Amino acid sequence: MKENIWLKRKIDIYLEEWKNKEDKKPLIIRGARQVGKTKAVERFANKNYKNFININFVLQEEYRSIFDNGYEVINIIKNISFINPSYKFEEGNTLLFFDEIQVVPKVATSLKSFREDGRFDVICSGSLMGINYQEIESNSVGNKEDYDMKSMDFEEFLWAKGYSDDQIDDIFSYMKNNQPLPNAMFNKLSELFKDYIIVGGMPEIVRKYVEQNNFSGILEAQRQIIRDYEEDITKYAIGLDKTKILNVYRKIPVFLSNENKKFFISKVEKNAKSKQYVGVVDWLKNSGIINISYCLEEPSLPLKGHYNPDNFRLYFMDTGLLIGALDDEAQLDLRNNKNMNTCKGAIYENIVGDMLVKAGYELFFYKDEKGHLEMDFFVRDIDSLIPVEVKSTDGATISLNNLINKDKYKDIHYGIKLANKNIGYNDKFYTFPYFLTFLLKRYLNKD
């Protein structure tokens, strides 16, 4: 396969729609480091604009002063042109891209001026790490549009492997009609999904995997991203104990491997107290490098009205990075489909959580006080709360049946079981293979 392949991303469609809006606001693309924000904008700009003003405030420090004498567009343009006179500003055919804006939060104050001026399109991007992003939010309210970008989901992974929208629509048609997938389709998708778990969705790692058609160097690339994230923690975690943030981040595989999977301070640091870690988990969540699932106090709608903010589970935002955080043999074990015991369950739970978040869901779980009833995730349709059970083995579904059958759970009418099994329905819950999680929202919306 040729080098430097183009990876189709969902943001490509979004950017085209944004460009064609009549009352277009400046756009801020938010996301963790290395999820593909900059390359997506560069590709979009080169396709749609004659003039592309690309300013990276980390790499090009000289541009950090362009807002020093005011936020009027004419002054900003004048300062940019003085630094680089080759830049051309043509009304209606110029995109300004301010990258790494967490370094220069003053950018946010200028967005109102750019919106009112209207001659140039503006996109900003930056890492979600850094306390300065709160300043960016407060200074740009009402004058910007946000897009949260994440690593590649399984549909984008399939695109990278050459599968078309028509083929994905064909996969969905079986799901929509509750018909088992043909064996050839099921087996191939299962194989690709296992690769997706191992590789993850970080674009440069996916690119490497697709170009090579093997896993050579993948583990080291994943670990380099983890090291980069840890370096960013030490750089941007202002006002918090950086060691404590690193402790929590590094212990996520430990939490997931525990049968309970609940976050315990005692597992982070011996004799640690909760008050010593105030703000640490929120910082990691706001940075975009973890997903949090909150425990419901009761499985009822609305979800946000019934959860306990102090009882939660932590997941890596990209399951490939979870694989990279495990021991050297974990990737090989998964590739060979060996039994990894609790670790295997943690991986499947992480990937389902990852896929649900990328589909637009927030994460919630349930465990009663006696520990007799437990459910991994919940989603909903218009009328129902839907328990989602993730089965790493084809074991019993006692909790799922109890939630559906008992009259006390009035918002639950049916459930979903995700397993290494084909599509099915038994009058109580639907069974879907793990890899169809990316189509779950489309299914529940009755597309």
Side-chain angles (χ1 to χ4, degrees):
M1 184 169 290
K2 65 180 181 180
E3 296 183 357
N4 298 320
I5 61 169
W6 170 58
L7 296 178
K8 178 182 174 183
R9 303 296 304 275
K10 292 182 177 178
I11 194 175
D12 300 336
I13 301 169
Y14 178 88
L15 289 172
E16 296 285 350
E17 293 173 349
W18 171 81
K19 184 180 187 301
N20 293 324
K21 289 182 179 178
E22 290 187 13
D23 185 23
K24 182 164 57 256
K25 296 180 182 179
L27 174 64
I28 296 182
I29 303 173
R30 308 184 301 180
R33 180 174 177 171
Q34 300 187 46
V35 296
K37 302 183 297 296
T38 299
K39 287 198 173 180
V41 174
E42 290 174 345
R43 184 167 59 242
F44 165 71
N46 292 329
K47 178 182 176 183
N48 290 281
Y49 295 87
K50 182 179 178 181
N51 305 293
F52 180 37
I53 315 301
N54 186 355
I55 296 173
N56 183 307
F57 290 114
V58 169
L59 301 178
Q60 300 167 293
E61 294 185 22
E62 64 270 26
Y63 287 98
R64 296 180 186 180
S65 62
I66 61 176
F67 306 103
D68 284 356
N69 62 329
Y71 299 101
E72 293 299 318
V73 172
I74 189 171
N75 292 327
I76 298 169
I77 298 304
K78 186 183 296 183
N79 289 336
I80 293 173
S81 297
F82 195 80
I83 295 170
N84 188 344
S86 68
Y87 278 144
K88 305 299 179 185
F89 295 85
E90 179 183 338
E91 181 176 345
N93 205 6
T94 300
L95 175 67
L96 281 84
F97 179 38
F98 296 127
D99 201 2
E100 303 289 3
I101 62 170
Q102 75 279 358
V103 177
V104 186
K106 288 182 179 180
V107 173
T109 308
S110 73
L111 297 185
K112 180 178 180 181
S113 297
F114 276 108
R115 183 189 179 194
E116 292 175 346
D117 181 277
R119 290 177 294 161
F120 313 112
D121 291 349
V122 177
I123 296 179
C124 305
S125 180
S127 167
L128 286 173
M129 288 190 179
I131 197 68
N132 283 339
Y133 200 82
Q134 300 304 318
E135 185 178 344
I136 290 168
E137 283 285 88
S138 61
N139 289 355
S140 55
V141 173
N143 294 297
K144 51 118 175 136
E145 187 173 325
D146 289 318
Y147 184 92
D148 290 320
M149 190 171 182
K150 305 184 186 303
S151 63
M152 297 172 69
D153 66 13
F154 188 52
E155 184 169 17
E156 291 172 317
F157 185 84
L158 291 175
W159 289 341
K161 290 293 290 182
Y163 290 86
S164 67
D165 290 331
D166 287 341
Q167 287 174 303
I168 291 171
D169 286 343
D170 188 33
I171 295 168
F172 179 70
S173 69
Y174 288 94
M175 187 180 187
K176 184 177 180 179
N177 295 319
N178 297 316
Q179 295 177 340
L181 295 164
N183 286 336
M185 187 181 292
F186 178 87
N187 292 336
K188 185 61 181 179
L189 286 169
S190 296
E191 176 187 326
L192 289 167
F193 185 66
K194 185 169 67 174
D195 287 1
Y196 176 63
I197 294 175
I198 295 168
V199 172
M202 303 303 282
E204 290 310 306
I205 295 180
V206 173
R207 188 190 311 277
K208 186 181 187 72
Y209 154 81
V210 172
E211 289 175 351
Q212 297 177 163
N213 198 30
N214 61 50
F215 298 99
S216 176
I218 296 299
L219 190 58
E220 178 53 37
Q222 291 165 337
R223 289 179 173 171
Q224 183 58 54
I225 292 178
I226 293 171
R227 288 192 289 269
D228 290 343
Y229 281 173
E230 292 184 354
E231 181 181 333
D232 283 351
I233 288 170
T234 63
K235 184 188 303 182
Y236 291 118
I238 301 169
L240 291 171
D241 189 322
K242 299 170 184 179
T243 302
K244 287 182 169 57
I245 297 176
L246 286 170
N247 283 345
V248 171
Y249 184 59
R250 290 169 176 167
K251 290 291 175 60
I252 292 176
V254 177
F255 304 142
L256 289 178
S257 296
N258 186 288
E259 185 176 352
N260 189 28
K261 297 185 175 64
K262 180 181 176 181
F263 172 82
F264 288 105
I265 289 293
S266 60
K267 289 191 177 293
V268 178
E269 181 182 353
K270 188 176 181 180
N271 299 322
K273 297 180 180 179
S274 296
K275 65 181 181 180
Q276 297 172 321
Y277 279 78
V278 171
V280 167
V281 172
D282 286 338
W283 191 94
L284 284 167
K285 180 185 178 183
N286 292 336
S287 74
I289 63 175
I290 68 168
N291 293 322
I292 301 183
S293 181
Y294 292 101
C295 184
L296 295 175
E297 294 182 326
E298 59 177 283
S300 306
L301 293 173
L303 286 165
K304 286 189 175 180
H306 295 95
Y307 77 93
N308 182 351
D310 298 319
N311 186 350
F312 52 83
R313 295 171 175 175
L314 303 182
Y315 300 97
F316 274 79
M317 67 85 176
D318 186 273
T319 304
L321 299 186
L322 171 61
I323 300 298
L326 299 175
D327 57 70
D328 289 351
E329 290 73 33
Q331 188 190 98
L332 183 61
D333 284 348
L334 191 62
R335 281 158 53 185
N336 293 334
N337 204 28
K338 291 183 179 178
N339 186 4
M340 299 171 66
N341 299 318
T342 56
C343 192
K344 187 176 182 181
I347 290 169
Y348 282 118
E349 197 167 313
N350 199 99
I351 190 68
V352 170
D354 179 11
M355 295 172 82
L356 289 174
V357 169
K358 287 172 179 173
Y361 289 107
E362 295 184 59
L363 302 182
F364 300 94
F365 71 98
Y366 179 69
K367 188 168 188 176
D368 65 13
E369 293 181 357
K370 296 181 179 180
H372 296 158
L373 186 62
E374 182 175 1
M375 188 49 51
D376 300 310
F377 299 106
F378 289 86
V379 295
R380 64 166 301 174
D381 58 20
I382 296 175
D383 305 311
S384 306
L385 178 65
I386 307 164
V388 178
E389 185 165 20
V390 181
K391 301 294 291 185
S392 59
T393 62
D394 191 24
T397 53
I398 297 172
S399 289
L400 187 58
N401 281 314
N402 284 337
L403 284 169
I404 297 167
N405 292 335
K406 290 188 177 181
D407 292 337
K408 63 183 291 187
Y409 306 116
K410 299 185 183 302
D411 293 326
I412 297 175
H413 305 132
Y414 66 96
I416 291 172
K417 173 183 170 181
L418 299 173
N420 187 29
K421 297 190 69 175
N422 214 323
I423 297 169
Y425 179 60
N426 65 359
D427 292 326
K428 292 182 180 179
F429 58 82
Y430 296 89
T431 297
F432 297 122
Y434 309 111
F435 55 74
L436 289 184
T437 305
F438 81 98
L439 290 170
L440 199 55
K441 195 160 197 174
R442 181 176 172 184
Y443 175 81
L444 294 176
N445 288 341
K446 308 302 180 186
D447 184 353

